[in-house]
C-alpha cells in the first residue's frame, strides 16, 4: 500500500490531532478516519460512479506517534470497483496538503 507517513509525533500532539479529527466527525473506527475528496478532484470514472459508489475518501490511520494517509481512493458504498484506485497526483497533493495544514493549525511540527 502506498502511503504518506508523518512520525515521531509526541503523545500530547497525537491527542490534539485525534481530538480534532473526532470533532470534525471523520472517525470511521477507532484510529481510522475518512478524509473525503472534493468532487472537483475526482477522476472521470469516479465522477461517473459517484451516484452508485461514492462518496470517495482517503483513509487516515493514527498510531502511538504517527499518522498515515493511505494514497488509495476508496468508495464508501462498495469495496471493489474500477473506480477505487490509487490517488492521482492532484488528489495526492490536495490530501497531503490538507493533512499538513491540519497539523500546522494544531501547532504540530512536521
Amino acid at each position: 500500500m502506498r502511503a504518506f507517513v508523518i512520525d515521531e509525533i509526541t503523545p500530547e500532539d497525537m491527542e490534539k490531532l485525534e481530538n480534532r479529527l473526532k470533532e470534525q466527525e471523520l472517525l470511521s473506527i477507532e484510529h481510522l478516519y475518512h478524509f473525503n475528496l472534493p468532487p472537483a478532484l475526482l477522476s472521470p470514472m469516479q465522477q461517473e460512479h459517484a451516484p452508485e459508489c461514492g462518496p470517495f475518501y482517503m483513509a487516515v490511520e493514527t498510531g502511538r506517534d504517527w499518522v498515515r494517509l493511505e494514497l488509495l481512493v476508496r468508495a464508501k458504498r462498495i469495496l471493489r470497483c474500477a473506480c477505487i484506485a490509487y490517488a492521482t497526483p492532484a488528489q495526492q497533493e490536495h490530501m497531503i496538503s490538507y493533512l499538513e495544514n491540519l497539523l500546522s493549525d494544531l501547532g504540530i511540527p512536521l
Side-chain angles (χ1 to χ4, degrees), residues 18 21-22 25-35 57-63 68 70 74:
E18 292 252 6
L21 293 171
K22 289 174 187 172
E25 299 181 355
L26 300 174
L27 183 65
S28 170
I29 58 173
E30 191 168 355
H31 304 292
L32 187 63
Y33 303 87
H34 292 173
F35 282 16
Y57 68 94
M58 291 169 68
V60 175
E61 184 180 6
T62 57
R68 180 178 72 149
E70 290 184 356
R74 298 175 183 267

Side-chain angles (χ1 to χ4, degrees), residues 22-69:
K22 289 174 187 172
E23 286 171 8
Q24 294 179 342
E25 299 181 355
L26 300 174
L27 183 65
S28 170
I29 58 173
E30 191 168 355
H31 304 292
L32 187 63
Y33 303 87
H34 292 173
F35 282 16
N36 290 322
L37 275 165
L41 288 178
L42 298 179
S43 71
M45 182 180 292
Q46 290 164 344
Q47 289 175 359
E48 182 182 324
H49 287 218
E52 302 86 28
C53 300
F56 294 94
Y57 68 94
M58 291 169 68
V60 175
E61 184 180 6
T62 57
R64 187 173 56 83
D65 65 350
W66 52 267
V67 60
R68 180 178 72 149
L69 171 68

Side-chain angles (χ1 to χ4, degrees), residues 13 16-18 20-21 101-109:
D13 286 341
K16 286 194 298 190
L17 175 60
E18 292 252 6
R20 176 65 61 87
L21 293 171
N101 289 335
L102 176 63
L103 295 172
S104 179
D105 289 348
L106 292 170
I108 299 172

Side-chain angles (χ1 to χ4, degrees), residues 4-10 14 65-68 108-110:
F4 175 75
V5 178
I6 299 173
D7 60 4
E8 299 183 15
I9 302 173
T10 67
M14 284 305 301
D65 65 350
W66 52 267
V67 60
R68 180 178 72 149
I108 299 172
L110 298 176

Side-chain angles (χ1 to χ4, degrees), residues 66-106:
W66 52 267
V67 60
R68 180 178 72 149
L69 171 68
E70 290 184 356
L71 299 178
L72 179 69
V73 177
R74 298 175 183 267
K76 286 199 179 177
R77 292 191 191 124
I78 195 162
L79 291 175
R80 294 179 194 219
C81 183
C83 62
I84 297 169
Y86 280 109
T88 65
Q91 291 169 335
Q92 286 183 36
E93 183 179 331
H94 175 81
M95 297 310 273
I96 289 171
S97 291
Y98 182 85
L99 177 58
E100 290 177 333
N101 289 335
L102 176 63
L103 295 172
S104 179
D105 289 348
L106 292 170

